[in-house]
Amino acid sequence: MKVKAWILDVNQEVARDQSQEIWLWAIKEDGERVLLIDKGFAPFFYVIPKEGVSIEELEASVKSQVRASDLVSLKVVEKKRLGKLTKVLRVELRNDDVIEQVAKHVAKLYAVKEVLEDDVRATFQYFMHTGISPSSWIEAEVADSPISIEGINIPAYLAMATPKPVEDGNVPKLRVLALHVIVPAFMSSPSPDRDQIGVIAAVNEEGERWVFVNERGDDKPLLLEFVKLIQSYDPDVVVSWGANKWLWSFLIERSKRIGVKLDIGRQKVEPHQSLYGHFSIIGRINVDLLDIVADDPEVKVKTLENAAKHYKVWDGEVIDQAFYGEVWESSGGKERLVNYASKCANAVMGIWKLFSHYLAQLSSLIKYPMDYAVAASPGFRVEGYLMSRAHQLGELIPKRPEVVSFETYRGGMVLEPKPGIHNYVAVLDFAAMYPHLIMKYNISPDTYVPEDVAISDQVCYVAPEVGHRFLKEPDGLYKLSLTALLEARDSIRQFMKRLSPDDPRYAAYEAQQKAIKVIANAVYGYAGWVGARWYLKPVAEAVAAWGRATISTALKIAKELGLEVIYGDTDSLFLRYDQAKVEEFKRRVFEQLGLEVKVDKLYKRVLFTEAKKRYVGLMEDDSLDVVGLEAARGDWCEAAKQLQEEVAHILLTTDNVQKAVEHAKQAIKKLKAGKFSIKDLVIWKTLSKPLDEYKVSAPHVTAALRLKKAGWDVKPGDQIGFVIVKGSGKVHERAYPYALAHGQPIDSDYYIENQLIPAALRILEVVGVKKEQLKQAEVVSLLDFFTQQP
DNA sequence: GCGCCCCCAATACCG
DNA sequence: ACCGGTATTGGGGGCGCG
């Protein structure tokens, strides 16, 4: 029978008879959850002959050296190696278990130059080979009746032929469960040996909820109920906060301690750690929202509550995780935490809903199942896309380089800003400059002409300054990939224009075009990443060089037109706005460079200090756009950031320096009086390495050491929130994690001198205000009077 | 021993 | 485990001073 189904998850199995199986966990059009098993795929690798060895000799050599029982087929095929067409041997093997060993053996043969694609996972090979994608629809001819497989409760069908991809932008209704688990640990990280689970809350998309509570000091019943819920509700997606960082490892360890089988997969096994440190629940998608929020620089402190507030799916009180233990023991605390767990699960669901379309599209684009796609870093996302493109083009996938000598190269150009406040400034930028340069000059690893190759410059594009050459023809992998991406994005956007934003398809298309944009923008960075399969320094270096040449030309054009240039960074120019001239500028840039520039922003007023990459602009609606300054950073306390914004807002809207100064002085006064909440004084910094590897005692490191001493597990990547308390000695010696600082008096002098004043002064010094003016408590001095600007 | 200067480790930002 | 360019803070060592 024929089925149309949407691929949720995939894994590979080697059957008892040693045959290879690809398991596709899918949702049929009618909503039924099924497992489709394809036994028709054999994993493979390619073998390239050594120079002087014929393909026939190679074939004979490989055939004689590989056990016949392991071998499915040997084929001579034409493939491209960095653009050059060559005959290679395609070796298909009986299953994934023997790939590694056979590939290693074959690589050592005399006739062999190299073995390729043995390092590409079987499931990924399968997607490339069939053209199907996770999070997309397929059509498959399957056996009429299901087979039964031990431990699997949904029908499993054997595929009778290779499934085919089906174009359909709709995502089926997924069964989603959002979780939140509370472990009331006392001033420490939860430890599976010592700490019991307090509450597990779950909600579905319809708002139905399940809450399991540890009533009498035993978390076994609660964990059993949880396992039962997953098995009976049978979600496609389990979404939570911190799943990959601690939740699954904690639940697995805890289950072991108390003798519960955490067999929550669709195949009854417990979650297991997989690629990118991510946990896999077979047949389901395990999404950790933390991985999503990690990609959003707007959310500075990565807690669920913060993220939920940012995405507007939170209201009301926050109970800090550090105090779960305390609250649990307090009177009425248990009820509070039970409610809180529900509330958090709701927030988890709220955030999931915002991202679900995007994740599905990303997954489909890069051919990783949704949960891998979320957990993968940008480099691997780009690589997923490039690999499937390469396969379509017949281009062999290079191995990941092992030891690469690392050399940096020159990047984008940043102009010196004109300090001061400027009225009506337009920010013009090149739309997707690097992707367009890559397409324009065909910059790619497979079009690169090495220095020692003699070839006419006529057939090459030659990069300015650095002189790297790239063939004009044929189109390279990067150009083809980006062309496809940008064309797809354009057509989606065209299509969206004809849709109303209320159309259910609108959000999905929006997500799709966003997913595409992210990948396209990361290709340049990918090219310069030493760990990339397609790493090639000249490629990245040439893109940057062409970028500098491009912005320089644009700068020249602006000057020729008499446009005043205030600033510029990499692909943008800040110009004093003059509608006619700006229009002419756009025309000339397109004429001379063949690239489009557009007005990205129009500031009513914008303030620059002498520093690059830091400015604050006032938009048409009087909102502020803070870029690079303290108020845009996560490592300044809230009080300082807020003050800076307020001072900037007063200055840019009223021009009243005195008013801005007074406002800053008020804040200083308020701090002196101890009227700021400790929350407004917490400074956050991320640990970048294990504590013992630090060479200097930075404040956040000392604070982290104090956390560790108190029983917290402190790891690289953790964000440390600390305050500076009164006392003698260096700043770091007085840095305490805010959760451990109770009772200790805050060092208001530190906050005034090193937070409030610098943040306010950064803005005010532009209009000539001096530090002393902020420190004079009440009296308005003559100096103040004279520094007031006209 | 103290303050000052300079260097640099560390972090987070911009595009 | 994406790039380079940039600003900024605080630690820490060296130096001169008395």
Side-chain angles (χ1 to χ4, degrees):
Chain A
M1 81 183 161
K2 201 169 235 170
V3 296
K4 183 182 167 190
W6 195 83
I7 309 294
L8 185 73
D9 192 17
V10 62
N11 61 289
Q12 63 92 14
E13 293 271 325
V14 176
R16 224 166 273 161
D17 67 357
Q18 295 298 299
S19 62
Q20 181 68 52
E21 296 181 348
I22 298 292
W23 286 20
L24 300 168
W25 302 88
I27 302 172
K28 273 169 53 194
E29 239 178 336
D30 63 7
E32 189 184 24
R33 271 63 179 168
V34 291
L35 170 61
L36 305 176
I37 298 176
D38 191 347
K39 290 173 85 81
F41 173 75
F44 60 88
F45 57 75
Y46 294 102
V47 190
I48 300 179
K50 193 170 275 178
E51 264 98 306
V53 175
S54 75
I55 196 79
E56 292 78 18
E57 283 173 76
L58 178 74
E59 191 174 1
S61 165
V62 171
K63 199 164 187 178
S64 69
Q65 287 294 315
V66 178
R67 237 184 295 152
S69 59
D70 287 343
L71 202 60
V72 171
S73 79
L74 278 181
K75 277 181 216 145
V76 175
V77 292
E78 288 227 302
K79 296 282 282 187
K80 280 180 253 172
R81 178 77 173 118
L82 291 179
K84 237 177 75 189
L85 212 55
T86 30
K87 280 202 170 104
V88 300
L89 200 60
R90 181 184 159 110
V91 182
E92 290 189 352
L93 296 180
R94 69 196 300 198
N95 66 44
D96 196 61
D97 291 352
V98 298
I99 282 265
E100 194 185 333
Q101 181 213 332
V102 175
K104 231 185 215 162
H105 181 62
V106 168
K108 284 190 199 133
L109 299 179
Y110 167 78
V112 173
K113 185 179 172 199
E114 63 184 330
V115 170
L116 288 174
E117 302 198 15
D118 56 303
D119 57 348
V120 177
R121 297 158 63 91
T123 49
F124 197 86
Q125 284 191 339
Y126 179 80
F127 287 136
M128 291 195 299
H129 175 74
T130 56
I132 69 178
S133 289
S135 308
S136 302
W137 293 92
I138 59 162
E139 213 163 62
E141 188 60 41
V142 302
D144 285 337
S145 48
I147 52 173
S148 98
I149 301 174
E150 163 98 41
I152 293 175
N153 292 332
I154 60 175
Y157 294 92
L158 276 178
M160 309 302 285
T162 304
K164 289 190 176 58
V166 175
E167 281 292 324
D168 182 343
N170 293 313
V171 177
K173 171 105 179 82
L174 300 174
R175 213 181 289 143
V176 184
L177 213 49
L179 296 183
H180 193 74
V181 176
I182 286 189
V183 181
F186 273 91
M187 284 299 169
S188 71
S189 305
S191 145
D193 280 320
R194 179 192 60 213
D195 299 315
Q196 295 192 6
I197 300 163
V199 194
I200 300 179
V203 295
N204 68 7
E205 275 191 280
E206 288 69 40
E208 201 180 337
R209 89 186 49 247
W210 298 263
V211 184
F212 308 127
V213 187
N214 183 337
E215 296 289 359
R216 31 189 92 70
D218 179 7
D219 55 354
K220 189 169 178 175
L222 158 158
L223 211 42
L224 285 170
E225 278 186 285
F226 169 68
V227 172
K228 214 166 78 192
L229 170 69
I230 303 279
Q231 285 169 354
S232 62
Y233 187 73
D234 192 30
D236 303 311
V237 180
V238 179
V239 54
S240 58
W241 184 268
N244 296 328
K245 238 186 173 154
W246 74 277
L247 183 60
W248 289 121
S249 38
F250 179 88
L251 290 181
I252 290 165
E253 288 303 312
R254 186 71 196 151
S255 306
K256 270 191 201 141
R257 300 288 188 287
I258 58 181
V260 171
K261 271 194 85 183
L262 200 68
D263 47 358
I264 56 169
R266 278 195 162 132
Q267 189 182 22
K268 282 203 177 166
V269 287
E270 63 179 24
H272 62 275
Q273 200 149 20
S274 153
L275 228 56
Y276 313 119
H278 143 270
F279 277 83
S280 205
I281 306 173
I282 291 185
R284 308 188 202 283
I285 295 295
N286 162 48
V287 173
D288 185 348
L289 292 183
L290 189 51
D291 290 330
I292 296 170
V293 173
D295 285 349
D296 187 343
E298 296 275 307
V299 181
K300 306 286 178 184
V301 182
K302 315 286 186 185
T303 62
L304 170 61
E305 292 87 345
N306 259 345
K309 278 184 196 168
H310 183 260
Y311 301 124
K312 305 198 186 314
V313 292
W314 186 275
D315 49 25
E317 69 157 358
V318 169
I319 303 178
D320 199 296
Q321 182 228 311
F323 303 115
Y324 280 174
E326 241 172 75
V327 175
W328 184 259
E329 292 296 320
S330 68
S331 92
K334 216 182 225 186
E335 291 67 37
R336 264 180 77 203
L337 281 175
V338 168
N339 289 331
Y340 196 70
S342 272
K343 186 167 156 173
C344 288
N346 278 338
V348 166
M349 180 58 81
I351 298 175
W352 158 259
K353 283 182 180 171
L354 296 175
F355 286 93
S356 60
H357 283 295
Y358 169 70
L359 298 181
Q361 300 302 342
L362 181 67
S363 155
S364 155
L365 189 67
I366 66 181
K367 290 192 190 283
Y368 298 160
M370 225 190 293
D371 46 358
Y372 279 28
V374 183
S377 53
F380 289 99
R381 291 182 186 170
V382 169
E383 200 154 88
Y385 180 74
L386 289 177
M387 285 198 289
S388 54
R389 272 285 154 201
H391 185 269
Q392 287 171 359
L393 302 171
E395 176 73 38
L396 289 161
I397 298 170
K399 284 226 160 356
R400 197 171 296 293
E402 279 176 33
V403 263
V404 208
S405 58
F406 175 70
E407 295 164 274
T408 56
Y409 60 89
R410 197 135 79 86
M413 188 166 77
V414 190
L415 305 183
E416 212 63 59
K418 288 192 176 164
I421 296 176
H422 310 275
N423 295 329
Y424 284 97
V425 171
V427 183
L428 279 105
D429 65 11
F430 286 93
M433 182 167 84
Y434 283 176
H436 279 111
L437 290 173
I438 290 172
M439 294 188 288
K440 183 174 175 194
Y441 299 109
N442 202 21
I443 313 168
S444 192
D446 51 327
T447 55
Y448 174 63
V449 182
E451 270 167 52
D452 56 1
V453 175
I455 192 170
S456 158
D457 275 0
Q458 291 298 306
V459 298
C460 298
Y461 294 110
V462 183
E465 295 180 68
V466 293
H468 301 313
R469 297 169 299 167
F470 299 89
L471 292 174
K472 291 180 176 172
E473 281 175 343
D475 289 351
L477 173 65
Y478 283 7
K479 178 175 180 176
L480 286 164
S481 300
L482 286 169
T483 308
L485 285 173
L486 296 187
E487 275 173 4
R489 181 166 183 239
D490 273 355
S491 71
I492 293 164
R493 290 165 98 184
Q494 284 306 314
F495 191 71
M496 281 172 72
K497 278 187 188 160
R498 283 181 267 135
L499 283 184
S500 123
D502 308 320
D503 191 297
R505 287 168 295 175
Y506 194 90
Y509 286 124
E510 176 63 23
Q512 205 168 340
Q513 70 97 6
K514 218 170 97 192
I516 293 171
K517 183 183 173 181
V518 169
I519 298 295
N521 284 340
V523 169
Y524 155 73
Y526 173 86
W529 170 38
V530 284
R533 288 177 187 269
W534 277 284
Y535 166 68
L536 197 59
K537 195 185 97 164
V539 165
E541 194 169 33
V543 175
W546 261 305
R548 291 191 300 273
T550 302
I551 199 72
S552 298
T553 304
L555 182 64
K556 228 174 78 197
I557 295 170
K559 283 183 173 162
E560 279 166 14
L561 287 168
L563 277 159
E564 190 192 351
V565 181
I566 312 291
Y567 176 63
D569 186 349
T570 310
D571 60 356
S572 68
L573 288 177
F574 289 51
L575 305 174
R576 166 144 294 142
Y577 191 57
D578 174 324
Q579 199 177 0
K581 283 184 180 174
V582 163
E583 284 308 313
E584 178 60 20
F585 171 76
K586 283 157 66 175
R587 251 196 309 281
R588 287 203 197 172
V589 166
F590 189 74
E591 216 173 80
Q592 289 188 31
L593 292 165
L595 296 174
E596 215 183 312
V597 274
K598 56 174 184 21
V599 176
D600 179 46
K601 278 177 195 166
L602 183 58
Y603 291 123
K604 253 205 278 196
R605 312 190 77 200
V606 61
L607 176 150
F608 275 95
T609 69
E610 280 168 7
K612 296 169 172 177
K613 297 186 184 280
R614 316 181 112 221
Y615 52 90
V616 49
L618 187 70
M619 311 301 293
E620 287 290 356
D621 64 355
D622 275 359
S623 64
L624 277 190
D625 183 33
V626 184
V627 180
L629 293 165
E630 285 76 3
R633 298 174 63 97
D635 57 351
W636 284 73
C637 74
E638 239 357 271
K641 297 202 292 181
Q642 251 176 42
L643 174 60
Q644 185 176 61
E645 282 217 20
E646 288 156 3
V647 163
H649 198 257
I650 294 170
L651 200 58
L652 289 176
T653 51
T654 70
D655 241 342
N656 188 337
V657 177
Q658 198 50 51
K659 193 173 162 196
V661 168
E662 276 314 313
H663 188 78
K665 284 163 98 172
Q666 284 302 316
I668 292 169
K669 217 169 113 188
K670 184 177 163 191
L671 187 80
K672 261 192 195 145
K675 284 184 185 156
F676 271 104
S677 135
I678 187 164
K679 271 208 309 228
D680 293 324
L681 302 176
V682 177
I683 298 163
W684 292 87
K685 272 201 157 70
T686 309
L687 286 176
S688 61
K689 53 190 170 194
L691 290 179
D692 51 10
E693 284 175 26
Y694 279 90
K695 290 179 189 149
V696 290
S697 323
H700 71 296
V701 178
T702 305
L705 282 167
R706 294 193 159 117
L707 281 176
K708 198 180 163 196
K709 213 174 142 198
W712 257 284
D713 181 21
V714 185
K715 299 183 301 299
D718 286 352
Q719 291 177 299
I720 309 293
F722 61 93
V723 291
I724 306 299
V725 304
K726 277 206 171 87
S728 61
K730 302 205 174 282
V731 175
H732 79 86
E733 295 171 79
R734 296 181 283 117
Y736 280 81
Y738 70 96
L740 300 177
H742 340 270
Q744 296 198 67
I746 294 295
D747 183 355
S748 47
D749 283 342
Y750 171 85
Y751 281 95
I752 291 168
E753 288 292 325
N754 300 56
Q755 293 275 321
L756 294 195
I757 288 184
L761 212 54
R762 185 85 57 212
I763 304 296
L764 292 171
E765 72 187 357
V766 172
V767 288
V769 175
K770 299 278 178 282
K771 186 174 172 183
E772 292 68 38
Q773 289 167 266
L774 299 184
K775 296 182 76 172
Q776 287 160 357
E778 304 289 12
V779 274
V780 178
S781 72
L782 273 178
L783 195 65
D784 287 336
F785 182 77
F786 282 122
T787 51
Q788 196 162 348
Q789 301 289 301

